[in-house]
Amino acid sequence: MHYGDALGRRNRRRRIHRERELLKTEVGRFQSWADSYLPHQRCGEWECDYEEWSSIYQAVLGFVAACPFGSWSHDDARTVLYAIARDNEMEHLAGEIRRQHPDLLVWLTHVSIAMGEPDDRWQLAAELGRLASEEAEQLLLQLAHDQDEYVRRKALSALAKLSSPAVEELAVEAWHRPDPHQQWARMAALSALQQIGSPRLEALLTEAERDPRKYLREFAERVRRGDIDL
């Protein structure tokens, strides 16, 4: 064994330890700050009030760059997913992980399905729609059946971006699924069907234009005019 090889491994271990400790410290600081918010106060954009997001970004992305994800501990994965979930307004971490480490995005999604929360899963779903891979599509198909409606909505939109053959069936399923947020699910269904040029769009569009719910009706009118961003 060459001395240089041993020294290199030791330095890598030290760096990983340093980045792991920084990750724990910065996320722990946020958690301590978040504890000052009562559960009923944690709504809307409450996480944006935290003033040290740049330190969290640096800590998470530094750890991700230093530590191969195959050697992450259960706590490492949970901490990174927690940081992504709390970054749900800016979506910076999910986007940077996809840009810098696309394989990690796929792995994190597997972990999130097993032990994450909706606020990290929907962000990962949105980013998977930017990866043209069979594995990304398979994960999105799982997320399209998530218990959380917003996760399902984001997964459907991502699958439409990938022109998945499953989009029509999922869109119609979302259209008919009773849910407190069905109005928004139906908007996503219309958008997805328009994006793939589905012949099933017209019938649902006509139904939406007669719907008593104002926002769905107005959205259908915009789809009809071609006035939505795809």
Side-chain angles (χ1 to χ4, degrees):
M1 180 185 300
H2 294 292
Y3 173 75
D5 293 338
L7 182 61
R9 284 195 294 273
R10 189 190 319 165
N11 287 338
R12 283 193 296 274
R13 286 196 297 270
R14 287 176 176 172
R15 183 188 175 196
I16 290 171
H17 175 75
R18 183 173 63 250
E19 296 294 347
R20 178 176 280 123
E21 290 304 307
L22 183 60
L23 174 68
K24 291 178 181 177
T25 297
E26 293 302 335
V27 174
R29 286 176 177 167
F30 176 89
Q31 290 172 321
S32 295
W33 172 85
D35 286 342
S36 66
Y37 279 76
L38 296 174
H40 71 273
Q41 296 175 313
R42 298 183 186 188
C43 58
E45 302 176 357
W46 70 275
E47 295 103 332
C48 293
D49 291 339
Y50 189 63
E51 297 181 351
E52 299 297 331
W53 269 108
S54 61
S55 297
I56 295 180
Y57 292 156
Q58 182 178 355
V60 172
L61 296 175
F63 172 76
V64 164
C67 186
F69 57 85
S71 63
W72 287 21
S73 69
H74 183 277
D75 286 343
D76 292 337
R78 188 175 292 281
T79 302
V80 171
L81 286 173
Y82 175 85
I84 292 172
R86 301 288 71 76
D87 186 36
N88 60 77
E89 289 297 330
M90 299 303 296
E91 304 174 48
H92 177 74
L93 289 173
E96 284 303 306
I97 287 172
R98 189 262 307 165
R99 282 185 283 272
Q100 299 178 28
H101 312 280
D103 290 343
L104 174 58
L105 179 71
V106 169
W107 182 84
L108 269 177
T109 306
H110 280 290
V111 177
S112 179
I113 290 171
M115 67 178 197
E117 58 180 284
D119 275 339
D120 56 68
R121 288 199 299 278
W122 72 254
Q123 293 181 72
L124 296 173
E127 294 299 331
L128 285 172
R130 301 174 182 272
L131 295 183
S133 74
E134 182 178 349
E135 190 167 13
E137 183 175 354
Q138 291 304 311
L139 284 168
L140 285 168
L141 290 173
Q142 291 186 59
L143 292 168
H145 293 94
D146 195 89
Q147 291 185 349
D148 185 84
E149 189 277 327
Y150 195 58
V151 175
R152 295 195 301 268
R153 197 190 314 168
K154 286 291 189 177
L156 176 61
S157 297
L159 285 165
K161 288 181 180 178
L162 297 177
S163 300
S164 170
V167 168
E168 279 192 337
E169 180 180 348
L170 289 169
V172 173
E173 181 181 316
W175 188 270
H176 293 292
R177 182 190 288 110
D179 189 280
H181 304 289
Q182 189 190 47
Q183 176 175 206
W184 312 105
R186 287 188 169 192
M187 292 181 198
L190 292 175
S191 179
L193 291 173
Q194 184 190 45
Q195 188 160 348
I196 65 170
S198 171
R200 305 185 76 166
L201 173 64
E202 180 58 34
L204 297 185
L205 199 56
T206 300
E207 182 179 343
E209 289 170 329
R210 297 194 299 262
D211 196 283
R213 290 167 290 195
K214 174 184 177 182
Y215 294 127
L216 176 56
R217 195 169 61 250
E218 290 178 348
F219 186 83
E221 292 169 359
R222 290 173 55 205
V223 173
R224 180 76 74 185
R225 297 195 304 267
D227 186 25
I228 61 170
D229 295 327
L230 298 176

